[in-house]
């Protein structure tokens, strides 16, 4: 039975997927199993997976699209290792990730999971040094000391410092919380970290950059933004914190997300719902809400160019 189980959920990313798998095969720690969970891909993913001869690599294909978190759960449910990692199909591990993170869990039984810092890479696998530094600072990892994380809830909810693909978990810890919620399409990773913190689980931060997180064009655009913001609202509605300062952050982010989703929906032509959300999130930024309401009365044929022009000015 392998020590580490890895799940790569995938959907129509055959090219990136092979690179993610190669990064696991290149690990200096070899006692692992990999479950590639395919959410009904219509590209060449089945043919690509058929070429692998490594008996540590298993392919679990869903003939029909079952949804993001459900696909992730399918790998978790068949995992047999002591430790568990979920890696996105467009990301990569650096060669010592499994070795260094598993060593901490092996020698510190009180620690439930280990997170590392990570590189930002582009579509051509080039590490982006300046963007990486900015990313680490933006999400609080540059200021996060190595070792056990003292205030995990602030770290994962306020600062949002930890990245799920750069985190090795004890599988037994995930079993207690039943991993990610079923039927969630976005922010399921943020939700898991918050539930772990609320359950008083112990986390360790390793500042080494041992994972590569890919930025690419597929992650951008209104078609990606609207479902993401809907998922973020769902996530932020899932809690009500007893701590007043945390609750204030949650309420502020909820209003901000309502406003941002309202703007995107107005841009996309979903005017009635967009106006409703702009009104609901009005107090976060009255000026943006008023501008969004005004734009909602423009003909649909010119809304997108107007939004694009405004977006280019405020950048």
């Amino acid at each position: 039975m392998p020590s580490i189980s890895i799940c790569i959920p995938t959907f129509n990313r055959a090219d990136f997927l092979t690179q993610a798998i190669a990064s696991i095969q290149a690990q200096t720690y070899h006692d692992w199993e990999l479950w590639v969970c395919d959410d009904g891909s219509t590209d060449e993913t089945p043919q690509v997976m058929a070429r692998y001869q490594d008996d540590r690599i298993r392919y679990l294909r869903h003939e029909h699209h079952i949804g993001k978190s459900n696909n992730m759960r399918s790998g978790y449910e068949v995992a047999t290792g002591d430790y568990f990692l979920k890696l996105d199909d467009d990301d990569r591990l650096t060669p010592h990730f499994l070795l260094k993170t598993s060593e901490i869990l092996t020698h510190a039984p009180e620690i439930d999971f280990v997170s590392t810092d990570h590189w930002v890479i582009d579509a051509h696998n080039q590490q982006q040094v300046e963007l990486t530094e900015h990313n680490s600072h933006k999400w609080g990892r540059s200021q996060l000391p190595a070792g056990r994380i003292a205030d995990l809830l602030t770290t994962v909810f306020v600062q949002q410092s930890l990245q799920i693909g750069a985190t090795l978990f004890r599988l037994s810890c995930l079993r207690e919380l039943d991993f990610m919620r079923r039927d969630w399409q976005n922010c399921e990773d943020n939700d898991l970290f918050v539930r772990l913190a609320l359950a008083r689980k112990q986390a360790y931060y390793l500042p080494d950059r041992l994972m590569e997180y890919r930025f690419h064009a597929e992650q951008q655009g209104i078609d990606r933004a609207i479902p993401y913001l809907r998922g973020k609202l769902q996530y932020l509605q899932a809690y009500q914190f007893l701590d007043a300062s945390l609750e204030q952050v949650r309420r502020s982010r909820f209003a901000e997300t309502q406003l941002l989703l309202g703007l995107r929906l107005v841009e996309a032509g979903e005017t009635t719902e967009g106006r409703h959300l702009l009104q609901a999130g009005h107090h976060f930024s009255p000026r943006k809400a008023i501008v969004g309401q005004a734009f909602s009365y423009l003909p649909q044929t010119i809304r997108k160019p107007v939004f694009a022009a405004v977006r280019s000015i405020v950048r």
Side-chain angles (χ1 to χ4, degrees):
M1 189 176 295
S3 296
I4 300 176
S5 295
I6 304 163
C7 168
I8 297 181
T10 192
F11 180 68
N12 286 346
R13 280 184 177 162
D15 291 342
F16 284 148
L17 175 62
T18 59
Q19 298 176 48
I21 294 173
S23 78
I24 294 169
Q25 291 180 303
Q27 291 295 297
T28 56
Y29 185 95
H30 304 293
D31 189 19
W32 49 262
E33 64 175 2
L34 169 62
W35 290 91
V36 175
C37 301
D38 183 357
D39 197 10
S41 291
T42 56
D43 65 357
E44 296 180 353
T45 297
Q47 291 77 21
V48 167
M49 292 306 305
R51 294 198 288 266
Y52 284 98
Q53 301 300 311
D54 190 332
D55 60 9
R56 296 171 298 177
I57 299 175
R58 292 87 184 267
Y59 180 48
L60 195 165
R61 176 172 170 81
H62 304 286
E63 292 301 326
H64 303 287
H65 197 60
I66 64 172
K68 189 176 176 184
S69 68
N70 294 337
N71 190 36
M72 293 176 188
R73 285 184 57 88
S74 66
Y76 153 77
E77 288 166 354
V78 295
T80 62
D82 295 320
Y83 309 139
F84 182 84
L85 168 71
K86 192 280 290 185
L87 182 70
D88 282 344
D89 57 2
D90 54 348
D91 296 336
R92 306 193 306 182
L93 300 180
T94 64
H96 299 303
F97 178 91
L98 294 182
L99 178 65
K100 290 190 174 183
T101 54
S102 64
E103 280 182 341
I104 293 170
L105 292 177
T106 299
H107 293 105
E110 73 280 6
I111 298 298
D112 296 296
F113 58 95
V114 178
S115 280
T116 78
D117 200 359
H118 58 267
W119 290 98
V120 172
I121 60 173
D122 62 18
H124 307 291
N125 303 323
Q126 297 301 305
Q127 293 180 346
Q128 304 296 298
V129 176
E130 185 175 345
L131 190 53
T132 295
E133 295 290 348
H134 171 77
N135 197 50
S136 295
H137 180 77
K138 176 183 177 181
W139 300 111
R141 289 187 295 275
S142 299
Q143 301 80 41
L144 190 60
R148 191 181 73 83
I149 300 175
D151 187 350
L152 183 58
L153 188 53
T154 296
T155 301
V156 299
F157 182 72
V158 179
Q159 298 171 343
Q160 302 176 92
S161 299
L162 306 187
Q163 217 284 338
I164 194 107
T167 303
L168 186 67
F169 297 92
R170 291 190 192 278
L171 185 58
S172 59
C173 168
L174 296 179
R175 298 285 195 220
E176 289 181 39
L177 278 72
D178 199 26
F179 195 42
M180 295 178 178
R181 299 187 201 250
R182 300 177 190 276
D183 301 321
W184 280 39
Q185 301 305 314
N186 288 282
C187 294
E188 67 290 332
D189 48 354
N190 305 73
D191 173 73
L192 175 61
F193 278 128
V194 171
R195 288 189 289 120
L196 287 162
L198 291 172
R200 301 187 182 278
K201 298 304 180 183
Q202 300 299 307
Y204 189 103
Y205 178 63
L206 185 63
D208 300 11
R209 288 174 178 150
L210 299 177
M211 190 269 265
E212 294 179 325
Y213 180 79
R214 192 185 303 275
F215 281 13
H216 55 92
E218 190 179 318
Q219 298 162 325
Q220 311 302 318
I222 194 167
D223 291 339
R224 175 72 183 92
I226 288 175
Y228 170 75
L229 291 167
R230 289 192 188 280
K232 189 171 182 179
L233 283 181
Q234 180 183 35
Y235 156 62
L236 291 168
Q237 281 182 306
Y239 309 99
Q240 188 170 352
F241 298 113
L242 296 176
D243 182 278
S245 61
L246 287 174
E247 181 60 12
Q248 183 177 3
V249 172
R250 186 193 71 82
R251 288 175 180 267
S252 176
R253 287 185 180 165
F254 187 75
E256 178 187 21
T257 305
Q258 288 178 309
L259 181 64
L260 293 175
L261 179 56
L263 290 169
R264 287 294 198 172
L265 289 173
V266 166
E267 181 181 0
E270 298 181 45
T271 307
T272 301
E273 185 182 2
R275 288 173 179 167
H276 173 76
L277 285 166
L278 288 172
Q279 182 60 38
H282 181 273
H283 63 278
F284 180 82
S285 176
R287 193 168 98 181
K288 286 185 179 179
I290 291 169
V291 170
Q293 292 283 6
F295 284 3
S296 74
Y297 291 95
L298 293 173
Q300 184 58 37
T301 53
I302 66 171
R303 276 192 210 175
K304 284 192 176 183
V306 170
F307 271 98
V310 171
R311 203 172 286 123
S312 66
I313 293 170
V314 299
R315 277 177 184 166

